[in-house]
Amino acid sequence: MSMNINPETGSFANLVEALGEISDRVVALIETEDLSKLNFAIDMSLQAIDLARSVKLYPTTMVINLTNMLSKRYHHTHSGADVELGISHGNTALRHMGHDDPNRRYLYGNLGMLHHMRYDYQETTDDLTKSIEYTTIALSMSPQGDPVQHDLHFNLSRSLHSKYEKTQNAADLDRSIQAKEEALRLAPASAMEEAIRITPHNGRGRPRMLIELGNCFGRRFECGGCIADLQKAIEFSEEAEKLAGVGHEERATILSELARWLCRRYESTQSVADHERAVAIADEALLLAPDNPGMLNNLANFLRRQFDLRGDSDDLGRSIRLFERAREVSPSDDPGYLAIIYSLAIGLARRFELLGNIEDLEHAITTNEEAMELTLKDQPSRFRTMINQAAYLELRFKHSSHKGRSSSTEDLDKAVKFSERVLQEAPLDHPERFRWLEIHGNILGSCFGAHGDAKTLEEAIRFTGEAIAIVSRMEYTAPSTLSNYGEWLGQRFLLTGNTHDLNKAIEATDQAVKATSKNNREKALWQSNLGRWLERRFERVGALRDLDHAIEATEIAVDSTPTGDIERPARLNNLSYYYALRHERGNCIDDLNKSIDILRVAINETPHDHPRRPLWIINLAGRLSDRGTTGKDGNQKDDLDNAVRHFDEALGLLPKNAHNLVVSWTNFGSTLRHRFVRFGRNSKSTDDIDRSIKILTEAMGAMHAEHRSRASTLLNLGASYISRFDLTENPLPTDQGEALSSFTECFRSPNSAPSYRIQGAQQAAVILDSLSRSQEAAEILKEAIDLFPVLSPRSLPRSDQQHVLGQIAGIASMAAAMALKSGYGYYDALMLLERGRGIIASLSMETRMDMSMLKSEVAFEFLTAREKLDAPQLAINITSPDLNDEASRSRYVSESLSRHETEDQLQAIIKKIQADPKTRDFLQPPSQDELMKVLDGDTIVVVNATPYRCDAFVINKQQGVGLVELTRLKLEDINTRVERLKSSRPQIDTTMLEWLLDDIASPILEKLSFNQPGPAENLPRIFWILIGPLSRLPIHAAGRHTKGSTGTVMDRVMSSYSSSLKSFVHGRKAKPRVMTTLQEASAKKALLVGMSKTPGGSGLPDLPFAAKEVESLEKLCPELKLEPVRLSSQSRDAVLAELGALIFHFAGHGQLDPLDPSQSGLRLEDGVLTVADIQAHKLGEQAPFLSYLSACLTGANDADRLVDEGIHLISACQVAGFRHVIGALWQVYDDSCVQVAESVYKGIAKGRMTDRSVCAALHSAVARRRDVWVAERSSVTSDGTGPSTAENVELVDSKAIEKCADQEEDGGRDGRLKLGRAPVAAFVKADWVPYVHYGP
């Protein structure tokens, strides 16, 4: 906008009069829109000026008007000659005008405007500086309230805005909005606002001013990220659109600007409505100006973003066509041409990412090169073109690498140079710096992928981390930045194995998912990445819910990716792998079949010449191999043959430097070994196993030392060597040594998953022992046991802990055996056994450990962290439709991250505690001194059986720690007896009791000199800790139970059981609650629960004796000084609420879950009170005295893989805090339960409720039942001497046993899940045998 002044009057007669007439005519024409009249006025002015100067006069007023008219004509003609002429005359006039001339401000204002015009076509910084300088002077010279100020404010704001666009200096942008605020009486928010305020509301120029002001606020939003600025930009643009009306000459421009800011708001808020409105408005603008390059460019950009939103390739195609049309109609020297080709290159690159056509990427690179050539050195746009060129070159490098065409990193090297240059030269406060940091970080990440340099990966993390830091200070999020940051953290996890990096990667990627609208095309990528990192954590830590959520996220990603998108097959491939992993975990064949079906879809959707297709075929081969080794449909041979064929086909198509080639080799080698072991071992051909070793050896040679799959490959290589050594007629003499070397190196791979490493140690130990190198075997197993706590962190749910620990069953027993063979001290060998067993129970007991050794603040830190981990975890039903709710998954991610962080904190606290010499034994197994202090006159016997040797550790104060070698005991005999018992219970084979005496108990009792029978009150006491499958056998009942015989364990000692030495010591150290509250009778309660009526639907009979049992005990409560508590509702919650009673007695059905012992439990009115429920329950500071579980199978654990963990109802009650627990190893009978319970409680009352009284009471009750049983069996013989078990047993056929198992006729309290059983021949009923006591 420009200013006009009236001519001055002077004292020169004729000349001045003539000049005055000319001036009057010029003034009359100044406001004309007619170009011919404007030309006439300019010509007249130039003639008048020349006339005046001929007589040495200089008409400054006429020059001011001339500069005004020349600026107006420039708007018509865009002729730079007008601008140059105006500046020349203006500068001359400045020299002739006095410094105090009031009209000087008008000339400064016009010169400022002319310099800005020259900047528009020359883009010289000097013009922009002078424009700002002259306009600022004009404002400073204008008096308050001068009407011309609104024009000056407008021009100054525009010049400052142009300077900001050139320098990206936020201060310039702020001045363009808030310039000369102090000069305005009303102090509006900005110079532009003041200009608008004093412009008539219905003026034709007002919409233009509103648009300019909106642009200023929009630019400031782009600089500072303040959403309020963006809102103002839209509001001013909307007001301008309303004022402009349908016929306004600038309506197309106004619509285009409004659409631009709506699109920016969409980018920040993900409001789909904003974007759809922006596209519609831009379409309308293009109709008004169909060949306007700017309108074409804007709509093209919006359509490209709409493609990102919807994933419709038609949007992207139309966008590119509009860009190309804009390029055609725009002169190459037009200022907007650069923006058009810049955007065209972006669209072409995006289409390459969608369809994979390399011609699009090549076109993008050449187009962007042209844009780079057009940008001047001082133009901010050069940074954008350079950084995009870097990104395009990185894309081309990745494409070439996948194609295997070249190993050259020339593109990648150029990309690094471009991105480095941008970061070095661009202002540190540039609003797009976070994006440039992100791109540079990604390029460095690709460099890491190409060269494997860990330092480069660190730099990638640093730069993307800096980008995150910048974004966090803004009011909007950048999902791609978050996802890429997560990508490089995840890559560092893969390199180092640090799970902290993995957790942060999951957190960042989850934030990216949450920050992206549902329909945004990019969201599928973030979902896919999130699934990938959750799966990695599942592999590392073992949380099944991680895998379930990985499957969920990836399924959403697949469903959101249209067929034809080049990323869809890759996402299908990932999904297939996750289903295969879930099959491996849960052994559900449906998961494996689904995995195979999904992978076949991926292969069918991938073009035959695509570089990834061989990878999908290799993965299909791996799945077929899995089915060939685990399937049971009779097609295993076909699956394995097809797997080998696919491996052969696809591996030949892969380049030697293909990503994950070594993993493919590993899978192929494993498949060949499986085919040999299953189908080739009986033939003379060793082709498969020879080739397996060759391929696996090549895989090892191509793998760097830190590769995360190193342990897996070594484990497979060792297995192939040992298969050839064991299963072929003429193995190479070096095979065994090579196997040992592979297994040992597997264990020594610190970056690999602990589970693989531990398996390697176990296999190495087997070979070492066979080579009579037991010392080395013991050492490697000792180191493996050190990894057990890492394998089962506290942050894992119980079911996952069980699965992980199930993989290492038996290793502790093996370690102890090897230690003894190699000459370890007895206690040292015993500690290996202690540290490798009962890990779950040990973790659960941590909050009840003695904290007195710790400082109060340290104890508080430990307990706070531990209680966080004990808090109930977010429960999500995997079959629930809510599982697909993104918010639900995000809550899980957040909770799991919190648990992992708390785990890290707790580990740090424990490390700090154990670093102090005074507290170094905290949470460690008990020392020998600790054991001796709490033993009193009792004895602990730990029995360990392995294929290598069988031993009993005997511990008492008299002998210290001794050893009894059980030379007659064989592990295979134990397994046979256990399986026979599981099939026959509640019936037993009495030869089992004799065998227990002969092979185990007798050598131990002889060692202890416990040879003579005696009354219960004087019998010595043994605490049995039975390891592995022995824990399922009743060592307390071992013997020959015939009339008059004392050749039994129970006639020589009283027996109690313990799950571990730690549990025993903890129980002995804990102060009994009963001893501190004996006089407080009102505070003592006995919770009595009798389930005589079994809830419908369970298929189990009612138990009439359960009610009698509880009634009988209720009458005994006064003798025990207890208040009986009977519940009106015997529900799970009600029982848990009262579980802190001094005594808890349950009479009812017990349920055994043979697959997951943590789900075994007690049947109540509303369901099963499980082991997991009881273990998780907090019973307060003072432990209850006794839990009596008068139900079947409360001490049973039929899960072979968890036999070392001792997970059953008895141990659950101990972990929860009960001092003593009485239960049963198998089924008990409804009628006899009443008699045993009455006898036990009478004995406890008689013994004044001491620790010994519980054990003695059960011992006496069982002994009486035993004596009755012996008498009844003796009465069937003719001579009364008692039958020989081998000659005279009750015959029970398999049908009778099945009836027993169902408990429909004999009143047993068995609610176990049935998995089928083996038929048996002859067993006897012995209802006294299964009762056991656990406690100090």
Side-chain angles (χ1 to χ4, degrees):
M1 299 183 71
S2 56
M3 302 151 284
N4 304 318
I5 64 169
N6 290 321
E8 300 177 353
T9 58
S11 58
F12 296 95
N14 296 331
L15 181 59
V16 171
E17 184 178 349
L19 291 173
E21 289 178 5
I22 294 172
S23 181
D24 288 341
R25 294 183 67 181
V26 168
V27 169
L29 294 171
I30 272 181
E31 296 299 332
T32 184
E33 295 294 331
D34 188 324
L35 182 59
S36 62
K37 292 180 180 179
L38 187 60
N39 290 338
F40 177 72
I42 291 171
D43 290 343
M44 288 179 60
S45 296
L46 289 171
Q47 291 175 26
I49 292 169
D50 288 343
L51 179 62
R53 293 179 70 178
S54 68
V55 293
K56 298 185 179 180
L57 292 176
Y58 199 86
T60 54
T61 301
M62 190 168 288
V63 172
I64 292 172
N65 286 334
L66 174 63
T67 57
N68 184 11
M69 290 186 293
L70 287 167
S71 67
K72 289 195 70 172
R73 190 165 71 181
Y74 173 78
H75 284 301
H76 285 278
T77 66
H78 293 286
S79 171
D82 284 337
V83 176
E84 299 297 335
L85 186 60
I87 291 173
S88 175
H89 278 285
N91 286 334
T92 303
L94 275 179
R95 291 194 296 271
H96 285 84
M97 292 179 76
H99 288 286
D100 56 351
D101 189 326
N103 289 329
R104 193 178 180 89
R105 70 181 186 274
Y106 298 115
L107 186 56
Y108 272 124
N110 285 351
L111 277 171
M113 181 171 56
L114 287 163
H115 275 289
H116 189 92
M117 290 174 177
R118 190 162 73 179
Y119 168 77
D120 282 342
Y121 63 83
Q122 289 191 355
E123 294 193 352
T124 55
T125 305
D126 183 60
D127 277 321
L128 197 54
T129 302
K130 286 180 178 178
S131 174
I132 294 169
E133 178 187 352
Y134 290 156
T135 311
T136 302
I137 293 172
L139 270 171
S140 69
M141 296 176 67
S142 301
Q144 188 77 14
D146 191 332
V148 80
Q149 282 195 338
H150 79 281
D151 288 338
L152 291 171
H153 280 301
F154 179 79
N155 291 342
L156 177 60
S157 177
R158 192 166 54 128
S159 296
L160 285 166
H161 191 275
S162 295
K163 186 181 178 185
Y164 159 73
E165 289 185 325
K166 189 172 187 65
T167 65
Q168 299 296 312
N169 187 331
D172 290 328
L173 183 58
D174 287 337
R175 281 189 66 203
S176 77
I177 296 178
Q178 316 233 342
K180 297 303 177 184
E181 212 169 39
E182 67 280 1
L184 302 173
R185 184 168 57 83
L186 298 177
S190 71
M192 190 74 72
E193 288 176 299
E194 174 64 4
I196 290 171
R197 185 183 68 80
I198 60 181
T199 300
H201 186 77
N202 59 353
R204 296 289 290 178
R206 186 177 179 85
R208 183 65 200 169
M209 287 185 179
L210 288 164
I211 282 295
E212 292 287 349
L213 178 58
N215 287 346
C216 284
F217 277 107
R219 291 295 189 189
R220 190 162 73 175
F221 158 75
E222 290 178 330
C223 178
C226 177
I227 293 293
D229 283 335
L230 182 58
Q231 294 294 113
K232 284 190 174 183
I234 293 171
E235 289 168 7
F236 283 124
S237 300
E238 288 175 333
E239 185 180 348
E241 189 269 335
K242 289 177 184 177
L243 287 175
V246 174
H248 196 281
E249 67 272 13
E250 291 191 88
R251 181 169 178 78
T253 301
I254 291 167
L255 288 170
S256 184
E257 293 300 315
L258 173 57
R260 179 158 67 107
W261 298 125
L262 285 169
C263 193
R264 290 309 308 270
R265 187 165 68 182
Y266 156 73
E267 291 173 359
S268 298
T269 65
Q270 300 292 303
S271 168
V272 177
D274 274 344
H275 198 279
E276 290 176 345
R277 187 180 168 206
V279 172
I281 290 172
D283 251 330
E284 181 185 348
L286 188 61
L287 288 174
L288 296 172
D291 282 331
N292 183 295
M295 307 298 171
L296 287 162
N297 184 57
N298 283 350
L299 180 56
N301 275 311
F302 299 158
L303 286 168
R304 192 188 73 228
R305 291 190 179 93
Q306 184 160 283
F307 161 73
D308 291 338
L309 178 64
R310 297 177 176 177
D312 187 343
S313 59
D314 290 342
D315 286 333
L316 184 57
R318 187 186 174 205
S319 169
I320 292 172
R321 290 193 297 274
L322 288 171
F323 280 133
E324 290 172 336
R325 176 59 182 161
R327 185 181 192 178
E328 290 173 6
V329 300
S330 177
S332 60
D333 59 349
D334 186 280
Y337 181 78
L338 173 62
I340 292 168
I341 62 173
Y342 168 82
S343 298
L344 173 59
I346 294 174
L348 290 165
R350 193 63 55 86
R351 190 162 66 183
F352 163 76
E353 291 177 307
L354 175 68
L355 302 176
N357 187 344
I358 190 61
E359 292 179 0
D360 278 335
L361 184 56
E362 298 290 358
H363 192 187
I365 291 173
T366 56
T367 302
N368 199 67
E369 282 176 349
E370 181 184 357
M372 291 172 64
E373 292 172 1
L374 290 174
T375 55
L376 302 175
K377 289 184 177 180
D378 57 349
Q379 275 188 304
S381 55
R382 71 191 175 94
F383 299 133
R384 297 190 183 99
T385 56
M386 286 168 60
I387 201 71
N388 280 5
Q389 193 73 352
Y392 303 154
L393 290 168
E394 183 206 11
L395 270 177
R396 190 164 69 181
F397 164 77
K398 286 181 176 178
H399 179 78
S400 298
S401 298
H402 287 151
K403 284 285 187 181
R405 291 175 175 172
S406 172
S407 59
S408 171
T409 59
E410 180 181 356
D411 278 341
L412 199 56
D413 296 338
K414 287 181 180 178
V416 171
K417 289 179 181 178
F418 277 130
S419 57
E420 281 181 344
R421 185 176 167 191
V422 169
L423 293 177
Q424 289 167 2
E425 297 179 7
L428 293 176
D429 59 351
H430 194 287
E432 293 185 45
R433 187 171 182 85
F434 78 90
R435 175 175 170 267
W436 301 343
L437 287 164
E438 176 190 350
I439 290 173
H440 184 57
N442 290 342
I443 293 169
L444 291 173
S446 293
C447 290
F448 162 73
H451 304 299
D453 183 3
K455 291 182 180 178
T456 308
L457 180 59
E458 294 297 330
E459 288 293 285
I461 293 170
R462 180 171 71 85
F463 281 106
T464 49
E466 286 181 22
I468 292 289
I470 293 174
V471 170
S472 67
R473 296 193 292 269
M474 300 179 178
E475 293 185 18
Y476 63 98
T477 55
S480 68
T481 311
L482 287 162
S483 184
N484 285 320
Y485 181 55
E487 175 68 23
W488 305 125
L489 285 169
Q491 291 297 326
R492 188 166 67 182
F493 156 74
L494 296 178
L495 183 66
T496 67
N498 187 335
T499 53
H500 178 74
D501 281 336
L502 181 57
N503 290 330
K504 299 302 288 184
I506 291 170
E507 180 180 30
T509 313
D510 182 59
Q511 289 174 356
V513 170
K514 288 190 291 186
T516 309
S517 65
K518 181 179 180 181
N519 296 321
N520 191 313
R521 176 178 174 271
E522 296 295 322
K523 188 158 191 163
L525 174 59
W526 315 152
Q527 293 271 21
S528 179
N529 288 347
L530 178 60
R532 184 157 50 94
W533 296 127
L534 285 168
E535 179 275 323
R536 293 294 192 203
R537 192 168 69 183
F538 163 75
E539 285 194 80
R540 183 68 177 203
V541 180
L544 182 59
R545 284 171 66 188
D546 275 344
L547 183 59
D548 290 329
H549 283 295
I551 290 173
E552 171 207 337
T554 310
E555 284 182 332
I556 293 172
V558 168
D559 292 342
S560 304
T561 307
T563 302
D565 190 312
I566 60 172
E567 293 303 323
R568 180 175 159 86
R571 290 166 190 168
L572 285 164
N573 173 68
N574 287 346
L575 183 60
S576 167
Y577 178 57
Y578 305 160
Y579 271 109
L581 283 177
R582 195 160 74 180
H583 161 261
E584 184 180 319
R585 173 67 176 266
N587 203 30
C588 175
I589 194 63
D590 289 344
D591 280 336
L592 184 55
N593 289 334
K594 190 166 187 177
S595 171
I596 291 170
D597 292 342
I598 290 170
L599 203 44
R600 283 177 169 149
V601 173
I603 293 169
N604 290 336
E605 291 188 9
T606 306
H608 283 273
D609 61 345
H610 194 281
R612 290 183 177 179
R613 196 170 193 273
L615 293 175
W616 310 158
I617 295 173
I618 285 170
N619 290 340
L620 175 61
R623 307 293 185 274
L624 291 170
S625 175
D626 291 341
R627 194 165 67 182
T629 55
T630 61
K632 298 178 181 179
D633 59 358
N635 295 320
Q636 295 94 322
K637 180 71 163 57
D638 290 342
D639 278 337
L640 286 172
D641 289 344
N642 286 329
V644 171
R645 179 172 55 80
H646 285 315
F647 273 125
D648 273 326
E649 170 195 349
L651 283 170
L653 299 175
L654 284 180
K656 291 184 178 180
N657 61 345
H659 179 62
N660 276 343
L661 181 61
V662 292
V663 176
S664 302
W665 284 342
T666 299
N667 292 337
F668 190 17
S670 173
T671 299
L672 288 166
R673 181 181 70 255
H674 287 309
R675 188 168 72 169
F676 167 75
V677 171
R678 281 183 167 243
F679 303 107
R681 58 190 296 182
N682 295 325
S683 69
K684 294 183 178 181
S685 174
T686 61
D687 289 349
D688 275 350
I689 196 64
D690 293 341
R691 194 176 177 202
S692 169
I693 292 172
K694 181 177 182 293
I695 289 171
L696 290 167
T697 302
E698 289 175 357
M700 284 305 307
M703 190 179 294
H704 59 78
E706 291 79 24
H707 198 288
R708 73 183 188 90
S709 298
R710 187 173 183 82
S712 173
T713 303
L714 285 163
L715 197 62
N716 275 288
L717 179 58
S720 292
Y721 271 121
I722 208 66
S723 295
R724 188 165 71 180
F725 180 79
D726 288 340
L727 303 177
T728 61
E729 293 181 1
N730 300 303
L732 294 179
T734 57
D735 279 348
Q736 189 180 41
E738 292 290 351
L740 175 59
S741 176
S742 298
F743 290 137
T744 303
E745 191 177 349
C746 168
F747 177 67
R748 306 292 179 200
S749 300
N751 293 333
S752 297
S755 57
Y756 286 132
R757 297 179 60 199
I758 292 170
Q759 289 179 59
Q762 185 178 24
Q763 295 302 321
V766 171
I767 297 174
L768 287 167
D769 180 69
S770 70
L771 297 173
S772 301
R773 293 160 63 180
S774 301
Q775 175 76 33
E776 295 173 65
E779 290 299 323
I780 198 169
L781 290 173
K782 180 180 178 182
E783 292 182 58
I785 289 173
D786 290 338
L787 290 177
F788 283 15
V790 179
L791 195 65
S792 181
R794 300 163 181 83
S795 55
L796 276 182
R798 179 58 47 81
S799 59
D800 293 323
Q801 287 180 335
Q802 290 178 182
H803 174 80
V804 171
L805 292 173
Q807 301 175 45
I808 58 174
I811 292 181
S813 290
M814 181 181 181
M818 294 298 159
L820 291 173
K821 285 185 73 174
S822 59
Y824 272 52
Y826 297 155
Y827 187 77
D828 292 336
L830 183 59
M831 284 303 97
L832 290 177
L833 199 57
E834 178 74 8
R835 288 172 53 216
R837 299 178 52 260
I839 294 171
I840 292 175
S842 181
L843 294 177
S844 299
M845 288 171 57
E846 286 178 348
T847 52
R848 298 193 295 107
M849 300 299 289
D850 182 8
M851 300 290 165
S852 60
M853 70 172 70
L854 304 181
K855 295 178 181 178
S856 58
E857 62 273 17
V858 177
F860 177 78
E861 286 180 12
F862 173 82
L863 289 172
T864 300
R866 197 63 187 83
E867 286 168 4
K868 283 183 183 179
L869 289 171
D870 283 343
Q873 296 191 49
L874 181 67
I876 300 176
N877 183 357
I878 299 304
T879 62
S880 167
D882 292 338
L883 185 66
N884 290 329
D885 177 18
E886 180 181 306
S888 178
R889 184 180 65 252
S890 185
R891 285 196 303 273
Y892 166 74
V893 169
S894 177
E895 182 205 59
S896 65
L897 288 171
S898 176
R899 291 182 65 81
H900 284 289
E901 288 174 3
T902 304
E903 172 83 24
D904 291 342
Q905 293 168 9
L906 185 62
Q907 290 290 357
I909 293 167
I910 293 172
K911 188 175 181 179
K912 179 173 69 174
I913 292 171
Q914 293 178 345
D916 186 340
K918 296 179 181 178
T919 55
R920 65 185 177 187
D921 293 332
F922 181 69
L923 298 185
Q924 297 290 350
S927 67
Q928 189 167 344
D929 288 343
E930 282 184 282
L931 271 176
M932 295 306 159
K933 285 178 183 178
V934 300
L935 268 175
D936 296 330
D938 300 324
T939 299
I940 299 172
V941 176
V942 182
V943 185
N944 183 45
T946 72
Y948 312 99
R949 58 182 292 151
C950 298
D951 302 279
F953 296 89
V954 178
I955 311 161
N956 58 30
K957 282 192 172 182
Q958 293 74 32
Q959 300 178 1
V961 179
L963 188 75
V964 178
E965 293 187 38
L966 304 175
T967 55
R968 293 182 55 174
L969 186 62
K970 305 298 179 186
L971 181 62
E972 54 267 33
D973 293 340
I974 296 172
N975 291 328
T976 299
R977 293 286 183 177
V978 167
E979 288 305 311
R980 190 170 174 82
L981 175 62
K982 285 164 64 177
S983 296
S984 69
R985 61 192 183 194
Q987 318 292 331
I988 67 167
D989 177 356
T990 54
T991 62
M992 173 188 69
L993 303 182
E994 298 172 7
W995 165 78
L996 284 170
L997 177 70
D998 295 338
D999 288 11
I1000 303 175
S1002 285
I1004 295 169
L1005 297 179
E1006 289 174 9
K1007 171 77 172 181
L1008 294 168
S1009 300
F1010 294 161
N1011 298 318
Q1012 299 300 319
E1017 58 269 18
N1018 296 327
L1019 286 177
R1021 190 176 177 193
I1022 288 181
F1023 289 85
W1024 299 97
I1025 301 176
L1026 304 181
I1027 310 301
L1030 278 170
S1031 62
R1032 295 164 174 163
L1033 297 173
I1035 189 69
H1036 65 281
R1040 288 176 173 78
H1041 297 275
T1042 58
K1043 190 173 183 179
S1045 170
T1046 59
T1048 70
V1049 169
M1050 63 189 311
D1051 287 312
R1052 301 183 191 180
V1053 297
M1054 282 196 307
S1055 293
S1056 292
Y1057 290 85
S1058 185
S1059 57
S1060 66
L1061 293 174
K1062 181 183 284 189
S1063 176
F1064 173 80
V1065 171
H1066 171 75
R1068 279 289 171 101
K1069 283 186 172 181
K1071 199 171 185 179
R1073 175 177 170 183
V1074 65
M1075 295 184 180
T1076 60
T1077 60
L1078 192 57
Q1079 288 76 34
E1080 301 172 20
S1082 61
K1084 296 191 296 180
K1085 296 180 180 180
L1087 174 62
L1088 307 178
V1089 177
M1091 290 293 298
S1092 57
K1093 294 291 184 182
T1094 304
S1098 65
L1100 298 171
D1102 291 339
L1103 300 173
F1105 284 96
K1108 296 178 182 179
E1109 184 175 330
V1110 170
E1111 290 168 4
S1112 174
L1113 300 183
E1114 189 171 8
K1115 294 175 183 178
L1116 286 173
C1117 280
E1119 294 183 39
L1120 296 164
K1121 296 186 173 66
L1122 296 176
E1123 174 190 345
V1125 176
R1126 301 288 299 273
L1127 300 174
S1128 58
S1129 171
Q1130 297 186 140
S1131 64
R1132 296 168 69 252
D1133 288 343
V1135 170
L1136 284 172
E1138 294 291 339
L1139 208 55
L1142 196 65
I1143 288 178
F1144 166 52
H1145 186 94
F1146 174 84
H1149 281 297
Q1151 174 172 299
L1152 174 67
D1153 188 327
L1155 300 180
D1156 183 357
S1158 69
Q1159 295 307 304
S1160 298
L1162 306 173
R1163 283 194 169 272
L1164 296 170
E1165 290 177 356
D1166 61 343
V1168 178
L1169 183 64
T1170 68
V1171 168
D1173 294 333
I1174 296 171
Q1175 284 183 329
H1177 191 65
K1178 298 291 183 184
L1179 295 177
E1181 293 182 4
Q1182 290 188 318
F1185 184 67
L1186 171 63
S1187 173
Y1188 192 126
L1189 305 177
S1190 188
C1192 297
L1193 301 158
T1194 53
N1197 173 359
D1198 280 1
D1200 292 338
R1201 60 191 176 83
L1202 292 170
V1203 70
D1204 280 346
E1205 288 302 305
I1207 302 172
H1208 43 64
L1209 281 163
I1210 294 175
S1211 65
C1213 288
Q1214 277 204 303
V1215 167
F1218 281 96
R1219 188 171 180 81
H1220 296 274
V1221 187
I1222 292 174
L1225 292 177
W1226 54 79
Q1227 296 90 332
V1228 290
Y1229 294 86
D1230 196 24
D1231 54 351
S1232 59
C1233 284
V1234 181
Q1235 301 169 33
V1236 174
E1238 284 181 357
S1239 180
V1240 168
Y1241 282 107
K1242 287 178 180 179
I1244 291 174
K1246 182 179 178 181
R1248 301 183 59 80
M1249 210 178 294
T1250 62
D1251 286 336
R1252 184 177 175 90
S1253 72
V1254 181
C1255 175
L1258 180 65
H1259 179 88
S1260 298
V1262 170
R1264 280 192 287 273
R1265 290 294 305 166
R1266 188 273 313 262
D1267 292 342
V1268 171
W1269 177 80
V1270 168
E1272 289 175 348
R1273 295 188 70 241
S1274 298
S1275 66
V1276 303
T1277 63
S1278 57
D1279 59 5
T1281 60
S1284 164
T1285 308
E1287 297 174 355
N1288 189 5
V1289 296
E1290 298 179 37
L1291 297 181
V1292 184
D1293 64 21
S1294 59
K1295 291 183 180 179
I1297 289 179
E1298 285 296 341
K1299 287 184 178 180
C1300 246
D1302 292 338
Q1303 299 303 322
E1304 293 177 349
E1305 297 186 3
D1306 67 357
R1309 298 180 178 181
D1310 178 13
R1312 62 176 166 166
L1313 302 179
K1314 308 302 187 301
L1315 294 184
R1317 58 201 298 151
V1320 293
F1323 298 94
V1324 299
K1325 174 181 175 180
D1327 60 1
W1328 55 274
V1329 175
Y1331 290 96
V1332 291
H1333 165 253
Y1334 279 67

